[in-house]
Structures are given as structure tokens and as C-alpha cells.
């Protein structure tokens, strides 16, 4: 299937305006340049007929080039065939011009007093300035038509490629969203499984909390964006569920705003993989552990800071969750975000800086609306 579209409405309007102006110009010229034209109606009619006949020939050449020849180059990319066809059309045009110029008389007289030149001895009109002018004009017309058509076809191609890119980004985002849900459910079920042996009653409560979180995953995480308030509520529930698994040796400090404007949104489940890593790699069972989570809204930016002590065991930081969220951040926010991960001797520090965005910003993947690209 061709990636190009038929002639656009804008292109057709441009051509229509140009040719209407050209066909009206002889009439306007006669009105303003020959005040006494009304005294010689026969001459006026003859001049108009000559001018319009000449323009009609150009118009026919334009139609042939616009609808037959130009697509050979622009659409099918056949350069040699296009050049050969254009040369043939120009040659036929020049022959027709000479054939309709009896005794060397031009089709359009500049003034009615102008007399045609005497015929040549052999009876055939010579090649004169009029023929050269006609050749230059038809060549420029073909070039202008090709330029306009190439411009509009290039714009259509850009739109087509943008739609392809947008569709590809959406498909990749959908894949990443579907990938993170099973990963999150698996980790949460492991937490509940460990809690069953420690405190069955709390395990029951955690199952209720998980059902609420599953409802969020089912109805919210599949969306392109979620409200910042809903994301904070989900994060609090998740932290409460995670804390049930550990003893008092694990201290979780949260500095999270109670609420923010409803029109502030972000991609779903952006913070959870970092919090998962904090519990996975930061909790030690033989010594006190600390997890600090701080979220701020400042200067139209969302700042997420997660810092945890290291458990002492050797871990390779990353995994499905972290790789997933990194790819999603790149697809959704382009370069308009920063993620700094610092692995210290005793601490693991994550600082995520996101733009404050609104629902209309997520109408298409934000890599396309990123103003820094």
C-alpha cells in the first residue's frame, strides 16, 4: 500500500486560486491598460480569446503534469520515466505553439496597433523570442507544480510516519504495562505467603488490601495515565502491605503529600518498582533497616526520592520491574525527566524527577510532545 495520499484539499485550493487569477488577469489588464477598449469591442474580444486560448494550452499541460507525470516521480520514484515524459510533453507543447502562430504572429498582441511581422520567404515562422518565452514559462510552471506537490506529499509522509511511530510507542507501552502487572502480583503474593506463617490474621487483612490493590491494577494501571492522588493512595496501601511482612527492625519513613490538584497525572505504577527494590535489597533480618520515601511537588515538577540502607548481601540491582519502569519513562517522558540512582557503601539512593503533566499531555506518547527533542 502506498504511504502517500491523493492530492490534498489544500493543494487543490492553491491550484484553483492560481488559475482563477491567471484567467482573470487578461480581463483586468485590458480594463486598466486600455481605457478606450470599449470603443473597439471586436479587438477586445479577439484579445481575450487569444489570451484565454493560450492560457488554456498551459492549463492542459498543467493538468497532464499534475495528475499524470508528477505522480510518476513523487509517488512511484521513476526518475528517468518522469524526465522522458516531461521532455515529450514540452516538445509537443512547443510544436503546438509554433503551429498556432501563423506567419510568426504571437497569440497575444500587446497593442492593437501592433502589426504582425512579415512572413519568412519559405512560409514557415522562425523560432523567435515568443517561442523561447513559452518554453521558459512552461518549464517554470512544471517546476513550480512539482515543488508544490513534493511539499504536500512530504507533509503527508511525515504525518504517516508520525502515526506509525505513535502506534509503535503505544504498542510498546501496552506490552510494558501488561508485563509489570504479573510481576507486581507475584511479589505481593510472595509477601502474603510469608505473612501467613507469621500472623494469619494479618495475612487475612492483607488479602483484603491486595484485593483493593488488584482493583486498582485492573481498572487504573491499564490506562494511559492516573491521577497523582490515586497513585499516592495506591503507594500508601502498598507500603502498609509490605510493612506487615517485616519486624520492627524495619523502619519506613514516608513524607508524602496528602493530596494535590486532580488534574495532575502521571503514568501508572511509576514509583512501585523502586519501592519494591528498596524492600528487596534494603531489608536485613539481622540488623535495623531504614527506608525513606519522600515525594514533593515543586516548580511544576514531581520529585520522588527513595533511600534505603543496604542489607549487606550481594545483590544485582535491577530486574524486570526496574528495567520495565526505565523503558516506560523513556517512552512516556522522552528526555523531560531524570533518574539518578546512587549505590553507596551502605545506602541505595533513587531520585526521580518528572514533569507535572495533565490529561491532555497524554493524548499521544510524550516522546512526541517532548519539547526538548
Amino acid at each position: 500500500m502506498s504511504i502517500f495520499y491523493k492530492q490534498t484539499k489544500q493543494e487543490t485550493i492553491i491550484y484553483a486560486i492560481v488559475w482563477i487569477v491567471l484567467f482573470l488577469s487578461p480581463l483586468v489588464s485590458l480594463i486598466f491598460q486600455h481605457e478606450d477598449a470599449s470603443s473597439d469591442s471586436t479587438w477586445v474580444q479577439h484579445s481575450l480569446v487569444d489570451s484565454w486560448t493560450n492560457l488554456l494550452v498551459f492549463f492542459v499541460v498543467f493538468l497532464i503534469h499534475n495528475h499524470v507525470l508528477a505522480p510518476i516521480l513523487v509517488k512511484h520514484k521513476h526518475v528517468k520515466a518522469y524526465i522522458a515524459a516531461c521532455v515529450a510533453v514540452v516538445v509537443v507543447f512547443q510544436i503546438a505553439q509554433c503551429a498556432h502562430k501563423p506567419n510568426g504572429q504571437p497569440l497575444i498582441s500587446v497593442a492593437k496597433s501592433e502589426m504582425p511581422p512579415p512572413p519568412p520567404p519559405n512560409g514557415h515562422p522562425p523560432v523567435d523570442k515568443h517561442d523561447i518565452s513559452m518554453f521558459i514559462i512552461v518549464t517554470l510552471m512544471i517546476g513550480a507544480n512539482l515543488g508544490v506537490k513534493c511539499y504536500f506529499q512530504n507533509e503527508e509522509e511525515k504525518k504517516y510516519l508520525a502515526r506509525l511511530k505513535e502506534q509503535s510507542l503505544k504498542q510498546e507501552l501496552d506490552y510494558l504495562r501488561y508485563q509489570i502487572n504479573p510481576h507486581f502480583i507475584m511479589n505481593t503474593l510472595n509477601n502474603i505467603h510469608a505473612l501467613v506463617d507469621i500472623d494469619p490474621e494479618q495475612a487475612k487483612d492483607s488479602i483484603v488490601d491486595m484485593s483493593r490493590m488488584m482493583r486498582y491494577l485492573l481498572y487504573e494501571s491499564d490506562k494511559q495515565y492516573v491521577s497523582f492522588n490515586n497513585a499516592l493512595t495506591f503507594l500508601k496501601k502498598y507500603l502498609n502491605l509490605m510493612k506487615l511482612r517485616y519486624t520492627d527492625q524495619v523502619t519506613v519513613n514516608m513524607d508524602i503529600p496528602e493530596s494535590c490538584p486532580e488534574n495532575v497525572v502521571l503514568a501508572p505504577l511509576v514509583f512501585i518498582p523502586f519501592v519494591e527494590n528498596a524492600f528487596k535489597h534494603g531489608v536485613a533480618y539481622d540488623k535495623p533497616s531504614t527506608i525513606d520515601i519522600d515525594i514533593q511537588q515543586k516548580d511544576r515538577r514531581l520529585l520522588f526520592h527513595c533511600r534505603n540502607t543496604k542489607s549487606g548481601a550481594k545483590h544485582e540491582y535491577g530486574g524486570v520491574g526496574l528495567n520495565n519502569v526505565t523503558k516506560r519513562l523513556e517512552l512516556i517522558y522522552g528526555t523531560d525527566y531524570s533518574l539518578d540512582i546512587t549505590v553507596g557503601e551502605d545506602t541505595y539512593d533513587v531520585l526521580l524527577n518528572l514533569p507535572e503533566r495533565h490529561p491532555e499531555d497524554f493524548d499521544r506518547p510524550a516522546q512526541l510532545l517532548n519539547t526538548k527533542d
Side-chain angles (χ1 to χ4, degrees):
M1 181 182 295
S2 173
I3 63 174
F4 297 108
Y5 292 85
K6 294 181 180 180
Q7 183 167 298
T8 63
K9 184 182 296 185
Q10 294 87 345
E11 185 180 355
T12 303
I13 291 174
I14 289 175
Y15 295 150
I17 293 174
V18 170
W19 281 107
I20 289 174
V21 171
L22 288 176
F23 274 97
L24 289 178
S25 59
L27 182 60
V28 175
S29 177
L30 287 174
I31 293 175
F32 285 96
Q33 293 184 11
H34 302 281
E35 297 179 355
D36 60 339
S38 59
S39 62
D40 192 349
S41 59
T42 302
W43 178 84
V44 171
Q45 293 177 2
H46 179 73
S47 298
L48 287 177
V49 169
D50 282 348
S51 299
W52 285 338
T53 301
N54 205 21
L55 285 173
L56 184 61
V57 175
F58 280 103
F59 184 64
V60 172
V61 174
F62 165 80
L63 291 178
I64 294 173
H65 179 266
N66 185 66
H67 295 289
V68 180
L69 303 187
I72 295 176
L73 177 64
V74 177
K75 185 176 181 179
H76 302 292
K77 310 297 183 182
H78 296 160
V79 179
K80 293 181 179 179
Y82 169 77
I83 294 176
C86 284
V87 170
V89 169
V90 172
V91 169
V92 172
F93 170 81
Q94 287 298 115
I95 293 175
Q97 284 290 313
C98 292
H100 287 79
K101 189 183 61 172
N103 299 326
Q105 181 181 2
L107 291 176
I108 304 177
S109 297
V110 180
K112 63 180 180 179
S113 61
E114 182 179 330
M115 297 298 293
N122 57 6
H124 295 284
V127 176
D128 54 16
K129 294 181 179 179
H130 174 266
D131 299 317
I132 298 175
S133 300
M134 294 299 101
F135 174 78
I136 294 175
I137 292 173
V138 76
T139 304
L140 292 176
M141 180 188 70
I142 290 175
N145 178 221
L146 182 62
V148 172
K149 186 166 290 292
C150 286
Y151 169 79
F152 280 101
Q153 294 295 346
N154 184 57
E155 290 299 310
E156 291 298 321
E157 183 179 5
K158 287 181 180 179
K159 292 178 183 178
Y160 175 82
L161 294 177
R163 284 194 295 270
L164 277 185
K165 184 176 181 180
E166 180 178 351
Q167 184 179 8
S168 176
L169 292 176
K170 286 182 178 179
Q171 289 175 348
E172 189 168 356
L173 283 171
D174 289 339
Y175 168 77
L176 292 174
R177 279 198 293 265
Y178 295 145
Q179 184 186 44
I180 200 171
N181 287 352
H183 179 263
F184 170 80
I185 294 170
M186 178 185 66
N187 287 349
T188 306
L189 287 175
N190 287 338
N191 293 340
I192 295 177
H193 177 267
L195 188 61
V196 169
D197 296 330
I198 301 173
D199 191 334
E201 290 301 320
Q202 284 189 337
K204 294 178 182 179
D205 295 335
S206 66
I207 291 175
V208 175
D209 289 337
M210 182 179 176
S211 68
R212 295 172 180 170
M213 296 170 66
M214 289 294 296
R215 187 176 296 110
Y216 175 90
L217 290 174
L218 181 62
Y219 295 106
E220 297 293 332
S221 67
D222 194 41
K223 296 179 179 178
Q224 216 173 3
Y225 57 85
V226 296
S227 71
F228 190 36
N229 287 330
N230 287 347
L232 293 180
T233 301
F234 181 84
L235 178 60
K236 293 174 184 177
K237 291 182 181 294
Y238 178 77
L239 288 172
N240 290 334
L241 183 61
M242 294 296 290
K243 286 191 294 184
L244 292 175
R245 178 180 174 181
Y246 301 101
T247 64
D248 294 338
Q249 283 189 306
V250 179
T251 302
V252 179
N253 300 314
M254 293 185 294
D255 186 5
I256 299 176
E258 291 298 325
S259 64
C260 71
E262 285 293 336
N263 64 339
V264 177
V265 297
L266 73 163
L269 301 177
V270 168
F271 303 139
I272 296 301
F274 302 110
V275 179
E276 281 184 345
N277 270 0
F279 280 98
K280 181 178 179 181
H281 303 302
V283 173
Y285 294 96
D286 56 347
K287 62 180 181 180
S289 304
T290 303
I291 298 176
D292 299 319
I293 298 174
D294 177 43
I295 300 178
Q296 297 181 13
Q297 185 182 12
K298 183 179 180 181
D299 297 332
R300 299 184 63 80
R301 308 288 297 184
L302 302 178
L303 306 178
F304 170 82
H305 185 202
C306 182
R307 182 177 183 274
N308 61 272
T309 54
K310 297 172 67 174
S311 62
K314 292 185 178 180
H315 292 290
E316 183 177 345
Y317 293 91
V320 175
L322 187 56
N323 292 335
N324 182 297
V325 75
T326 302
K327 291 180 181 178
R328 292 173 67 225
L329 288 171
E330 292 175 355
L331 289 172
I332 296 171
Y333 296 102
T335 58
D336 194 15
Y337 86 97
S338 63
L339 175 61
D340 298 320
I341 299 178
T342 304
V343 181
E345 184 177 350
D346 300 317
T347 60
Y348 186 79
D349 204 300
V350 175
L351 179 60
L352 176 62
N353 187 324
L354 300 176
E356 179 184 294
R357 287 192 169 160
H358 304 91
E360 58 270 16
D361 298 327
F362 281 81
D363 289 340
R364 55 191 175 126
Q367 229 183 19
L368 300 179
L369 62 84
N370 179 20
T371 56
K372 291 188 178 182
D373 288 342

